[in-house]
Amino acid sequence: MNMPASSITPSYAAVLRTRHACRTFGAALLGRLSYGMVSLSLVLAIKEATDSYAVAGTVMALFGLTSVLLSPTRAGLVDRYGPRRTLPPMAAAYALLLTGLAFATSWPGTSGILLGGLAVPAGACTPPLGPVMRTLWRDMVPDPRLLQRAFSLDTVAEELLFVTGPLLVGLLLHIATPSAGLAVSAALVLTGSLALASSPAARGGVGHKKASSGPAPSEEFDSGAQPAPPGRRPLQGGAGLRQAIAVSATVGICLGAFNLLVIAFADEHRDPAAVTWILAALSGGSAIGGLIYGAVPWRVSSRLRLAFLAAALGLTLAATGLSSHPYVLIAWAALSGLFIAPAITTAYLIADEYAHPTARTRAGAWVNTAFNAGSAGATAATGLLVGRLPLPACFALAAAPAVLSAATALHRPRRLAAVTAAPPVSERIPDAEQQAPATNE
């Protein structure tokens, strides 16, 4: 793949040294930590208030589905009006509704209808902090190599937040009730969103592309509206965006099925404690793979990388089902994890490349929505299969969509003329001496 050793430099520090990067990224991570806490907190709080797992599961499903399905719509509002105008009201409404849920669940016997009535609008108002942050990365880090590292760092950090969040909820339970987790989640998302919206990166202090003639004001990513060119629909990602969405959905399918299958595997081997180690190995492998992937200056196009990563993830997951002992499955889980963060990172990079410039936030949201929808659907389907089919067959079925999606990634799409005045990020890696320094926009 033509990767000289001298080019493999782990310069994640260079990404964070970019002007406003630490402040903006830190604010986004603070707000996104709320998402790592809210699911567990909501389930535990509702269960304690209603003494019903059925009510807790139903309300959580309503909250999750509303959040996932409306994610592209919320991201579209950010594309149209900018983060300064959209994030504060979304975050304020979301935090207020979470606080209402915290208050309602602090009283025993609360009506499930009331909790559902609060959970649905809360999910609808969830601020799209991840898609917004990835759009701002593009503006802050125009250098292609650093942008790849920025996206990898973002993906790994987000995954670690979803590991850290439940741990923080567990710590809170030692000193407070589950509803306190909802209150903390509300405070985190409000603080992080307001800090992100007030960052110079979101105000338009960075991110204005420098061209010989200068961009038109309507093309800048700032607090103003950004109309699409006449005759075009704003998203316009074509086959490239469809590939990214398809592979993201299959990665979600793999992980959603895997989380349930490892529980069944551990039960079959009478070792329930192994589940924690298996999932930790998967997350650890994903973090390591994401950091290595971001540090490599790939010469291969993003579509080929995505095909390889999807196929590798599917094949290793299928092989995982043949494990004869939990220790063997732990090793296979770590190996499978190496491809998760790189696959998700590449999907986001492709969505960023192929989406219309005025719809990058919404394109990233579609990738994220596909992942979450795939995960949820696979969890439900796998629950029906476990017990009816042998576990190796279940692992193979869960892996099949990822392998098949590799074929879609091999199809070379045509790019939008408006987006491709220059070659895509993955195919225009300049030599080190030719790289222009990142603009402090």
Side-chain angles (χ1 to χ4, degrees), residues 1 240 243-244 246-248 250-251 293 298 300-316 339 342-347 350 399-413 426:
M1 291 186 180
Q243 290 167 7
V247 173
S248 180
T250 61
V251 174
Y293 177 82
W298 300 98
V300 176
S301 68
S302 57
R303 64 186 179 86
L304 291 178
R305 296 202 307 271
L306 190 62
F308 168 78
L309 292 166
L313 175 61
L315 292 175
T316 53
F339 305 105
I344 297 173
T345 298
T346 307
I350 290 176
V403 177
L404 293 175
S405 72
T408 68
L410 288 173
H411 173 69
R412 188 178 187 89
S426 58

Side-chain angles (χ1 to χ4, degrees), residues 91-440:
Y94 181 74
L96 181 63
L97 289 164
L98 283 188
T99 302
L101 281 167
F103 181 78
T105 54
S106 64
W107 299 93
T110 304
S111 167
I113 296 176
L114 172 62
L115 296 176
L118 291 170
V120 169
C125 295
T126 308
L129 298 181
V132 168
M133 186 63 232
R134 282 182 283 272
T135 300
L136 294 178
W137 274 128
R138 155 70 73 177
D139 292 342
M140 291 188 293
V141 188
D143 181 277
R145 289 181 178 177
L146 291 184
L147 181 63
Q148 176 181 291
R149 295 186 181 113
F151 272 45
S152 294
L153 181 64
D154 190 276
T155 300
V156 171
E158 186 173 54
E159 183 165 334
L160 292 178
L161 289 180
F162 280 89
V163 175
T164 306
L167 296 177
L168 293 178
V169 173
L171 292 175
L172 275 175
L173 290 178
H174 288 291
I175 60 175
T177 61
S179 58
L182 293 174
V184 172
S185 297
L188 286 172
V189 76
L190 182 60
T191 304
S193 298
L194 293 179
L196 180 61
S198 66
S199 168
R203 289 204 308 262
V206 301
H208 294 179
K209 305 294 182 184
K210 295 181 179 180
S212 57
S213 60
S218 62
E219 297 174 345
E220 297 173 349
F221 184 81
D222 60 340
S223 59
Q226 301 182 35
R232 291 190 187 273
R233 290 186 332 202
L235 196 56
Q236 287 288 323
L241 181 57
R242 288 195 296 271
Q243 290 167 7
I245 292 172
V247 173
S248 180
T250 61
V251 174
I253 290 172
C254 288
L255 296 187
F258 186 84
N259 290 337
L260 192 57
L261 290 174
V262 296
I263 295 175
F265 183 92
D267 287 343
E268 189 175 271
H269 288 77
R270 301 182 185 279
D271 189 4
V275 173
T276 302
W277 293 103
I278 293 169
L279 296 180
L282 186 76
S283 296
S286 179
I288 293 171
L291 292 175
I292 294 174
Y293 177 82
V296 175
W298 300 98
R299 304 287 182 174
V300 176
S301 68
S302 57
R303 64 186 179 86
L304 291 178
R305 296 202 307 271
L306 190 62
F308 168 78
L309 292 166
L313 175 61
L315 292 175
T316 53
L317 180 63
T320 300
L322 302 176
S323 301
S324 58
H325 190 276
Y327 291 150
V328 178
L329 198 147
I330 289 172
W332 276 109
L335 180 62
S336 300
L338 292 175
F339 305 105
I340 294 174
I344 297 173
T345 298
T346 307
Y348 281 128
L349 283 169
I350 290 176
D352 184 80
E353 286 177 8
Y354 288 95
H356 191 275
T358 62
R360 288 193 175 113
T361 307
R362 187 150 54 103
W366 271 113
V367 172
N368 190 56
T369 295
F371 176 88
N372 291 328
S375 178
T379 301
T382 304
L384 297 176
L385 294 176
V386 171
R388 292 179 170 85
L389 294 175
L391 279 181
C394 292
F395 274 96
L397 286 174
V403 177
L404 293 175
S405 72
T408 68
L410 288 173
H411 173 69
R412 188 178 187 89
R414 293 180 298 174
R415 296 182 179 86
L416 286 174
V419 182
T420 56
V425 170
S426 58
E427 297 177 0
R428 55 181 170 91
I429 307 293
D431 295 331
E433 64 270 15
Q434 294 177 332
Q435 292 184 32
T439 56
N440 296 328

Side-chain angles (χ1 to χ4, degrees), residues 37-46 105 169 172 178-182 185:
M37 298 178 62
V38 69
S39 296
L40 182 58
S41 296
L42 186 58
V43 169
L44 293 176
I46 295 174
T105 54
V169 173
L172 275 175
S179 58
L182 293 174
S185 297

